């Protein structure tokens, strides 16, 4: 790679080369059957060069040196056509990296047959436990990635690793009731996926969903599950932590550092080295060392996250949160593994303490939330009714409010933490919120 950097310096003041090699194995489910099994592999190289503050980008689906040289030349032509970015400072400098976790090479060689066996077992188990349910969808998969990032300032970092995941979507049909799609899932850095546990949790929720009851306007405690939390927070809350939004004055947290913005039961941080993290990267998409960044500590807002570009504009340092977009080649501020610290009480105990309330497993419409102010309006579906400490049925209702007001209503977090490998990767407990106003539907 050093030779390619030297070649690129003929055209650019600064140059970055990022190579991503991947292998993805997946088995898809549709209506109780395997619909597809696939293995995909390939390489992507992204060139980012700067000449007189003019950016040149090129993306190729190869890691061959000859093709990379051609891409460098193409990026140089692009840079000449672009206007200079007067805010540009420089690419990042080398930093000190943590020791990378030892990769599980079993994941690199996983065959579709192994996943087919898991998925078939899951489908059979679901049908045995509830003959009225169908496995409407789902997937088992293994991802493997090798990444290498070098730049003309001396950054040279490489890492490899992978993860496995499985999820099932069940739909129940019983006595005229058709349940919504009900999900459960697991993800981890090895192949020891608990298929039985995933199926049993999903079947249990389907059983609750058969008893449909009308919702009504009321103010009640609710417990949000991992899927609901990930959906709402990813759209309404997490974007506000971006340093870019601070610079552009589009975050409601601009003057809130050090202030209490949430209940003291909530601590939220981005930590790629969390013991449950499925992608423990030592460097971000620009080669900057990653680290644990605390965002909310016992309810207090601690600060923003940055990539190299926006950090230098603001006069601070990157927090290692530059995320590479493999489609555009660009860098955006993002998160590695968002974690909400767990508590001491079990999910079952949290349910047992509610006289009347709801457990919300998922939200519809969270993507329409406004991160500029935290406002949201969502449909809770599936949602489960809790009466006298037990789940007694299911319902659907609306919640409209502000995520920062909701954060202050949190009263309990579970000891269980669930890995959410979708959208922003999250590790989250179940969270109880008090006095939540809902609108019956």
């Amino acid at each position: 790679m050093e030779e390619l950097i030297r070649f690129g310096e003929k055209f650019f003041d600064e140059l970055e080369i990022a190579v991503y090699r991947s292998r993805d194995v997946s088995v898809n489910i549709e209506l109780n059957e395997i619909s597809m099994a696939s293995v995909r592999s390939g390489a992507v190289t992204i060139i980012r060069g700067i000449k007189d503050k003019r950016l040149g980008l090129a993306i190729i689906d190869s890691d061959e040196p000859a093709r990379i040289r051609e891409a460098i030349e193409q990026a140089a032509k692009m840079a000449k056509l672009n206007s200079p970015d007067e805010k540009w400072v420089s690419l990042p400098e080398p930093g000190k990296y943590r020791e990378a976790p030892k990769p599980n090479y079993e994941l690199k060689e996983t065959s579709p047959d192994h996943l087919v066996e898991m998925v078939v077992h899951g489908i059979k188990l679901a049908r045995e436990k509830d003959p009225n349910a169908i496995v409407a969808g789902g997937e088992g998969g293994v991802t493997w990635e090798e990444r290498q990032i070098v730049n003309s300032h001396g950054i040279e970092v490489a890492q490899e690793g992978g993860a496995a995941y499985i999820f099932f979507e069940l739909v129940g049909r019983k006595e005229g009731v058709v349940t919504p799609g009900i999900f459960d899932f697991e993800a981890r850095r090895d192949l020891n996926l608990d298929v039985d546990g995933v199926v049993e949790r999903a079947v249990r929720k389907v059983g609750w969903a058969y008893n449909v009851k009308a919702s009504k306007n009321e103010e009640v405690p609710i417990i949000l599950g991992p899927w609901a939390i990930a959906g709402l927070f990813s759209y309404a809350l997490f974007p506000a932590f971006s340093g870019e939004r601070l610079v552009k004055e589009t975050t409601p947290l601009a003057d809130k550092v050090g202030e209490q913005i949430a209940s003291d039961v909530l601590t939220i941080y981005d930590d790629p080295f969390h013991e449950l993290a499925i992608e423990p990267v030592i460097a971000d998409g620009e080669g900057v060392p990653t680290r644990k960044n605390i965002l909310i500590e016992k309810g207090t807002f601690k600060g923003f996250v940055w990539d190299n570009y926006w950090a230098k504009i603001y006069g601070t340092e990157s927090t290692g949160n530059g995320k590479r977009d493999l489609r555009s080649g660009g860098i955006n501020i993002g998160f590695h593994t968002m974690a909400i610290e767990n508590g001491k009480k079990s999910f079952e105990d949290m349910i047992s303490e509610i006289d009347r309330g709801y457990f919300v497993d998922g939200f519809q419409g969270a993507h329409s939330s406004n991160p500029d102010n935290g406002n949201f309006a969502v449909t809770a579906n599936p949602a489960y009714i809790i009466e006298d400490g037990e789940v007694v049925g299911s319902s659907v209702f609306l919640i409209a409010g502000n995520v920062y007001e909701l954060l202050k209503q949190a009263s309990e977090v579970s000891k269980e933490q669930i890995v959410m490998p979708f959208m922003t990767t999250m590790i989250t407990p179940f969270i109880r919120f008090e006095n939540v106003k809902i609108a019956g539907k």
Side-chain angles (χ1 to χ4, degrees):
M1 295 291 278
E2 183 178 350
E3 181 182 341
L4 291 170
I5 290 289
R6 301 289 84 81
F7 174 79
E9 287 179 329
K10 299 176 184 178
F11 306 93
F12 293 108
D13 302 323
E14 301 177 279
L15 178 67
E16 175 186 85
I17 303 173
V19 180
Y20 296 83
R21 303 175 184 90
S22 63
R23 181 179 187 269
D24 298 309
V25 185
S26 63
V27 175
N28 298 88
I29 307 166
E30 187 173 346
L31 300 178
N32 293 331
E33 295 182 351
I34 293 175
S35 60
M36 182 177 66
S38 65
V39 179
R40 297 183 177 91
S41 60
V44 173
T45 299
I46 299 171
I47 307 299
R48 187 167 61 143
I50 296 89
K51 178 66 175 179
D52 299 326
K53 296 196 173 188
R54 301 172 189 263
L55 172 66
L57 274 173
I59 307 173
I60 56 171
D61 57 354
S62 171
D63 58 356
E64 297 176 2
R67 292 282 310 279
I68 294 175
R69 286 189 178 88
E70 293 174 0
I72 291 171
E73 293 176 342
Q74 185 62 40
K77 293 176 182 178
M78 176 183 171
K80 291 179 181 179
L81 299 174
N82 287 337
S83 300
D85 180 356
E86 298 301 338
K87 295 179 181 178
W88 178 263
V89 179
S90 69
L91 290 171
E93 301 289 335
K96 184 177 181 180
Y97 303 101
R98 292 181 57 166
E99 183 178 354
K102 184 178 180 181
N104 185 332
Y105 289 103
E106 184 182 24
L107 295 167
K108 186 177 182 178
E109 306 298 332
T110 303
S111 73
D113 292 345
H114 186 93
L115 295 174
V116 166
E117 185 178 335
M118 283 187 178
V119 166
V120 168
H121 172 69
I123 294 171
K124 182 180 178 181
L125 183 62
R127 298 289 287 160
E128 288 175 353
K129 289 187 172 293
D130 186 348
N132 296 302
I134 64 169
V135 183
E139 184 176 331
V142 171
T143 63
W144 181 267
E145 185 180 74
E146 300 168 0
R147 60 176 69 181
Q148 184 177 11
I149 302 168
V150 298
N151 76 16
S152 54
H153 294 310
I155 281 181
E156 184 171 1
V157 58
Q159 190 175 357
E160 59 184 353
Y165 63 89
I166 195 161
F167 75 92
F168 295 97
E169 179 191 8
L170 272 57
V171 174
R173 292 184 173 90
K174 183 178 179 181
E175 298 175 358
V177 173
V178 179
T179 73
I182 292 172
F183 295 84
D184 217 289
F185 45 85
E186 186 177 40
R188 51 189 299 141
R189 295 203 307 270
D190 57 45
L191 289 170
N192 299 320
L193 295 166
D194 182 13
V195 177
D196 288 19
V198 172
V199 171
E200 287 168 3
R201 291 191 297 270
V203 168
R204 183 191 189 198
K205 290 184 284 190
V206 170
W208 291 339
Y210 287 135
N211 185 21
V212 180
K213 296 186 177 184
S215 57
K216 60 183 180 181
N217 296 348
E218 55 184 328
E219 190 172 304
V220 291
I222 65 171
I223 297 173
L224 295 187
W227 189 274
I229 293 166
L232 182 60
F233 285 13
S234 292
Y235 292 107
L237 177 63
F238 293 166
F241 297 140
S242 165
E244 177 183 356
R245 285 181 173 268
L246 177 63
V247 174
K248 293 181 175 180
E249 300 181 347
T250 58
T251 173
L253 298 175
D255 56 352
K256 303 293 185 183
V257 175
E259 292 188 14
Q260 194 85 8
I261 65 167
S263 162
D264 61 9
V265 305
L266 290 179
T267 293
I268 303 175
Y269 48 85
D270 181 29
D271 183 11
F273 303 103
H274 191 285
E275 61 181 356
L276 298 178
I278 57 175
E279 192 180 6
V281 292
I282 61 172
D284 71 0
E286 302 179 280
V288 176
T290 55
R291 66 193 195 196
K292 179 178 179 180
N293 291 300
I294 300 175
L295 301 163
I296 297 176
E297 185 174 29
K298 295 182 179 179
T300 300
F301 178 50
K302 304 301 288 186
F304 299 89
V305 294
W306 302 88
D307 65 0
N308 172 71
Y309 179 83
W310 290 104
K312 286 180 175 174
I313 288 175
Y314 192 70
T316 187
E317 64 176 17
S318 171
T319 57
N321 286 88
K323 297 284 285 187
R324 176 84 60 181
D325 185 335
L326 296 186
R327 294 168 297 180
S328 70
I331 294 288
N332 299 299
I333 296 175
F335 305 97
H336 303 289
T337 302
M338 290 294 277
I340 301 177
E341 203 152 278
N342 58 338
K344 297 180 180 179
K345 193 168 291 183
S346 72
F347 172 54
E348 299 295 335
D349 286 344
M350 290 168 66
I351 289 178
S352 72
E353 294 176 351
I354 293 178
D355 293 328
R356 176 168 176 82
Y358 294 88
F359 159 48
V360 179
D361 200 33
F363 281 137
Q364 297 170 353
H367 64 281
S368 63
S369 303
N370 186 348
D372 292 350
N373 55 27
N375 289 340
F376 66 89
V378 293
T379 299
N381 186 24
Y384 304 100
I385 304 166
I386 303 171
E387 292 180 352
D388 299 323
E390 294 183 356
V391 177
V392 297
S394 67
S395 192
V396 178
F397 54 84
L398 305 176
I399 304 178
N402 183 275
V403 73
Y404 299 101
E405 294 175 4
L406 185 66
L407 291 176
K408 292 177 181 178
Q409 294 168 266
S411 62
E412 191 87 53
V413 293
S414 72
K415 66 180 181 182
E416 299 94 341
Q417 285 179 307
I418 309 298
V419 180
M420 278 293 307
F422 312 107
M423 299 177 286
T424 298
T425 299
M426 280 193 69
I427 299 169
T428 176
F430 298 84
I431 305 177
R432 174 173 170 167
F433 298 88
E434 304 296 335
N435 307 316
V436 179
K437 294 180 180 179
I438 70 170
K441 185 177 180 181

